[in-house]
Amino acid sequence: MVKRNKKGELVFLDNPEFTPNLTPREIFQLGSFGGTYWRPIYSSVTKKNYKNIHHNYPKLWWEGIPEKHLSSSTYDVKVNKYRKKVGSTLEDWESRSWITEYNPYGWVHWYCDYYNGRRTPDDTRQIMRWLNFAGPKGRFKNRLINMVKSKREKGINTGHDDYSVSPAIRQSLQHWAYQLTEEDCK
């Protein structure tokens, strides 16, 4: 079961420390992965081909999102909200053992399943990856907060929603189901 708290974070009752603030739909609706996340792939982990995996989720998730923003074979940086190409390749993820047989597309694939109620032995590892990246002490989230605070300390009028402050980190956080909030920067 998942619900939103007063801060707009999603809270999963079975893992209350896991508090992303974007749903799977919102990740893609905002513009992510250059439109290629659900493209056809061959997984060297499972030794299988995959295609149209996103069709296994509720149709409502993808309503109004062009298919070319979900499963394009060609990366288009203009699809991304912050117009930045971030991340690495599936092959790189597989070589680092970030991909498991449970979710051959990676973290967002896992998150879609988790959000939808599926639980696997990989949940603890995936939640820890999120915590290290975008959680309360997450390195990317806190790096962005410190960049905003640094500009403020220099007398520059900026805030959590000043997209000129590291659009690349913002795009990365969005891929990890998180957008910086005003509360984060207090």
Side-chain angles (χ1 to χ4, degrees):
M1 169 108 174
V2 62
K3 63 180 184 169
R4 283 204 192 261
N5 66 18
K6 292 177 189 174
K7 296 187 220 176
E9 298 168 329
L10 297 165
V11 178
F12 294 85
L13 299 182
D14 54 343
N15 278 298
E17 75 282 3
F18 181 51
T19 56
N21 62 9
L22 297 175
T23 66
R25 173 179 170 71
E26 290 166 338
I27 293 170
F28 292 97
Q29 190 175 37
L30 290 168
S32 296
F33 305 103
T36 64
Y37 194 82
W38 299 111
R39 73 198 177 284
I41 64 166
Y42 173 77
S43 168
S44 66
V45 173
T46 65
K47 309 294 187 226
K48 293 180 184 176
N49 290 302
Y50 295 91
K51 181 179 179 181
N52 294 323
I53 295 298
H54 60 298
H55 292 169
N56 296 337
Y57 300 106
K59 288 182 181 183
L60 180 64
W61 285 13
W62 317 122
E63 194 172 284
I65 303 172
E67 188 65 31
K68 68 180 183 177
H69 290 193
L70 298 169
S71 63
S72 175
S73 294
T74 306
Y75 194 103
D76 181 358
V77 74
K78 291 179 287 198
V79 168
N80 290 347
K81 177 175 181 169
Y82 302 101
R83 305 294 192 256
K84 293 291 179 180
K85 185 175 184 178
V86 297
S88 59
T89 66
L90 177 65
E91 293 77 21
D92 185 43
W93 299 342
E94 289 174 338
S95 73
R96 295 172 187 250
S97 299
W98 292 342
I99 302 290
T100 67
E101 69 276 8
Y102 300 107
N103 299 101
Y105 280 83
W107 188 86
V108 172
H109 186 186
W110 169 84
Y111 180 53
C112 288
D113 282 351
Y114 192 83
Y115 185 90
N116 227 19
R118 180 179 182 222
R119 299 298 181 261
T120 70
D122 199 30
D123 295 347
T124 300
R125 181 184 74 92
Q126 295 289 21
I127 290 170
M128 185 57 63
R129 291 179 69 215
W130 182 87
L131 287 167
N132 289 334
F133 195 92
K137 296 180 181 178
R139 68 187 183 280
F140 276 68
K141 177 181 172 182
N142 285 306
R143 173 81 174 119
L144 184 56
I145 291 168
N146 288 332
M147 292 169 90
V148 170
K149 286 181 177 180
S150 177
K151 280 185 98 170
R152 285 181 180 166
E153 289 168 1
K154 293 175 183 171
I156 299 169
N157 185 16
T158 191
H160 74 284
D161 56 354
D162 179 351
Y163 301 153
S164 71
V165 179
S166 194
I169 290 177
R170 290 175 188 279
Q171 189 70 50
S172 296
L173 285 168
Q174 182 175 297
H175 291 179
W176 285 80
Y178 201 85
Q179 279 191 326
L180 198 64
T181 67
E182 188 173 348
E183 180 139 334
D184 290 330
C185 293
K186 287 183 180 176

